[in-house]
């Protein structure tokens, strides 16, 4: 099958970037016609491209992803960038709700001097994150927010999180690639969208050392709630934005 044939099939299925997608799928198939066909069938059926090819471009890195797991969004690069800038030399960064570990991997790549711990409730996501983090000064574990991290209380320099923040009633309105192919627990932020954000910010009051920083991804619709939750934990709050990425974060200093 030629690249033109693959692109034509993807275009007919509605792909706006058919040529680019065809090139990525052919690269991932590595010359195996049967694998190429299987991957095209999955993509045409609506599987996310990143899950089909097995990676997502995040902060200039190819971060491995897998079917059934949350695909990191490019806007989350803001969280990784802020964390890398805030971490002191030889500091400790903890990433909660880490998923496949995109934030942790990006921080490790940018700041090889820091130690990174990544945690998530999903064992499959943690297993993939662990494999990706193996070359770095990092570790990962399964934890419901910070339940398995109490031994780090008061020692963390930077705490990051991209918790789910879609209000429950808005999930059916999400793109089909997300709502049909990513786990609901990675999308559902509770009735107002801020349930997990509040849990992360509460954890920050235990985990952060004095002067430490927490950075939480949010949205323009929720930023006031997120900032209020950070203030409720006694944090010095600021809002960070990246217009190019369409990203919003709330940062709090203990």
């Amino acid at each position: 099958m030629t690249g033109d044939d693959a692109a034509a099939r993807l275009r007919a299925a509605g792909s706006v970037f058919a040529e680019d997608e065809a090139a990525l799928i052919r690269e991932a198939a590595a010359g195996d016609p049967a694998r190429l066909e299987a991957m095209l069938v999955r993509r045409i059926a609506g599987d996310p491209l990143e899950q089909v090819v097995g990676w997502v471009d995040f902060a200039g890195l190819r971060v491995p992803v897998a079917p059934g797991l949350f695909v990191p969004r490019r806007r989350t690069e803001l969280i990784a960038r802020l964390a890398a800038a805030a971490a002191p030399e030889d500091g400790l960064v903890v990433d909660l709700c880490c998923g496949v570990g995109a934030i942790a991997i990006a921080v490790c790549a940018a700041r090889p001097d820091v130690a990174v711990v990544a945690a998530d409730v999903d064992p499959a996501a943690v297993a993939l994150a662990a494999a990706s983090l193996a070359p770095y000064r990092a570790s990962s574990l399964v934890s419901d927010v910070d339940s398995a991290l109490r031994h780090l209380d008061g020692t963390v320099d930077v705490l990051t999180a991209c918790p789910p923040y879609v209000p429950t009633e808005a999930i059916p309105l999400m793109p089909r690639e997300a709502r049909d192919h990513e786990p609901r627990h990675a999308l559902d932020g509770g009735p107002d969208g801020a349930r997990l954000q509040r849990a992360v910010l509460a954890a920050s009051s235990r985990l952060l050392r004095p002067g430490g920083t927490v950075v939480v991804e949010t949205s323009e619709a929720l930023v006031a709630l997120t900032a209020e939750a950070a203030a409720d934990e006694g944090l010095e709050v600021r809002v960070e934005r990246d217009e190019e990425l369409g990203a919003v974060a709330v940062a709090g200093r203990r």
Side-chain angles (χ1 to χ4, degrees):
M1 182 188 304
T2 68
D4 289 343
D5 292 336
R9 290 174 61 185
L10 290 166
R11 193 179 305 108
S15 172
V16 177
F17 304 104
E19 288 76 13
D20 293 338
E21 291 194 6
L24 290 171
I25 291 172
R26 287 177 64 82
E27 176 191 345
D32 184 336
R35 186 179 182 193
L36 173 60
E37 177 62 23
M39 294 171 74
L40 282 171
V41 168
R42 286 178 57 203
R43 181 58 183 145
I44 289 168
D47 286 24
L49 176 66
E50 296 84 359
Q51 292 182 3
V52 172
V53 300
W55 58 271
V56 61
D57 184 348
F58 187 88
L61 305 167
R62 286 192 172 187
V63 174
V65 297
L69 298 180
F70 181 82
V71 177
R73 303 339 188 213
R74 184 166 176 256
R75 59 179 173 267
T76 305
E77 292 177 12
L78 174 61
I79 308 301
R81 188 169 75 235
L82 293 171
E89 185 176 358
D90 294 321
L92 173 60
V93 176
V94 171
D95 182 33
L96 300 181
C97 308
C98 72
V100 299
I103 293 172
I105 294 164
V107 170
C108 285
R111 292 289 308 276
D113 60 300
V114 305
V116 176
V117 177
D120 195 278
V121 70
D122 186 339
V126 169
L128 190 55
S132 299
L133 289 167
Y136 301 104
R137 187 184 169 196
S139 61
S140 58
L141 49 82
V142 177
S143 178
D144 184 0
V145 187
D146 69 330
S147 60
L149 296 169
R150 296 306 176 90
H151 61 292
L152 297 178
D153 282 0
T155 68
V156 177
D157 295 292
V158 181
L159 183 69
T160 64
C162 177
Y165 54 84
V166 179
T168 302
E169 66 178 13
I171 290 177
L173 306 177
M174 295 185 71
R176 189 164 66 88
E177 287 188 1
R179 69 174 189 265
D180 290 351
H181 296 277
E182 295 179 330
R184 188 179 179 93
H185 68 256
L187 305 173
D188 192 344
D192 64 358
R195 179 173 58 86
L196 267 295
Q197 293 179 343
R198 293 188 185 96
V200 167
L201 290 163
S204 76
S205 67
R206 298 184 291 270
L207 288 166
L208 289 177
R209 64 168 179 79
T213 299
V214 57
V215 187
V216 179
E217 181 170 311
T218 189
S219 66
E220 290 293 353
L222 265 69
V223 65
L225 285 177
T226 315
E228 180 182 5
D232 287 344
E233 295 298 331
L235 300 167
E236 297 177 10
V237 181
R238 71 181 191 276
V239 176
E240 299 278 358
R241 291 180 171 86
D242 185 310
E243 299 298 334
E244 181 181 350
L245 295 175
V248 188
V250 167
R253 184 175 182 273
R254 183 179 176 191

